[in-house]
Amino acid sequence: MEADEAVRLRRAINKLARRFNTSATDEGLTPTQASVLNLIAGRGPIAIGELQRLEHINPTMLSRVVGHLDDTGLIVRTPDPDDLRSASLIATEAGQRVHERILAQRAETVSRSAKRLSPGEHAHLIQALPALERLAEETE
């Protein structure tokens, strides 16, 4: 990929990400809090160490985010009976509902925007999905 193409792709991804972030703020969460909740609701129960590996944020920040989600009743911590220093995180019913609303709003944002594309652009976008998914996986 040429440098100018990489810049264009990054700009497009960043602009989409900013639009998606409004779904988090509409729920009173920061984008990072929404991302962590997404992982917990989608993969839970999940260990904090696994969450840190997937989310790529420093332990102090993750601790604050998990603390906020716990304090607001969106997740619960379940201590590991074999290692009391460790805990698994699970989304509460309220956390699941917030997670589902964020996903629905993000899907609606994509659908609404995609409707403005020409049929050819739409087809190209669908054809590009496997490559975009692979690109996302390669950055983890």
Side-chain angles (χ1 to χ4, degrees):
M1 178 177 281
E2 298 293 323
D4 63 326
E5 294 167 331
V7 167
R8 287 175 59 203
L9 178 59
R10 183 193 53 80
R11 283 182 183 156
I13 290 169
N14 284 342
K15 192 170 186 178
L16 287 169
R18 282 192 301 276
R19 286 186 184 162
F20 292 149
N21 287 345
T22 62
S23 61
T25 56
D26 287 350
E27 292 291 338
L29 299 175
T30 67
T32 301
Q33 291 165 346
S35 181
V36 169
L37 178 60
N38 176 57
L39 285 170
I40 295 168
R43 297 181 184 222
I46 186 169
I48 292 174
E50 177 69 1
L51 190 59
Q52 183 180 350
R53 185 186 70 75
L54 293 169
E55 194 59 29
H56 303 288
I57 58 177
N58 72 56
T60 302
M61 172 68 98
L62 182 59
S63 178
R64 287 183 186 139
V65 169
V66 167
H68 176 79
L69 295 174
D70 189 22
D71 291 345
T72 56
L74 299 177
I75 65 166
V76 292
R77 299 177 206 220
T78 305
D80 181 340
D82 297 328
D83 181 0
L84 297 179
R85 297 169 297 162
S86 182
S88 290
L89 306 172
I90 302 170
T92 62
E93 285 184 35
Q96 270 308 135
R97 285 193 303 272
V98 168
H99 166 70
E100 289 165 8
R101 283 193 302 267
I102 290 171
L103 290 182
Q105 187 174 350
R106 288 176 177 175
E108 177 58 29
T109 299
V110 171
S111 293
R112 192 174 46 248
S113 297
K115 288 177 184 174
R116 295 185 199 126
L117 299 176
S118 71
E121 290 170 324
H122 188 267
H124 283 111
L125 181 60
I126 299 305
Q127 289 172 344
L129 284 176
L132 290 169
E133 290 166 342
R134 174 143 168 128
L135 180 64
E137 289 172 12
E138 291 296 322
T139 61
E140 286 187 358

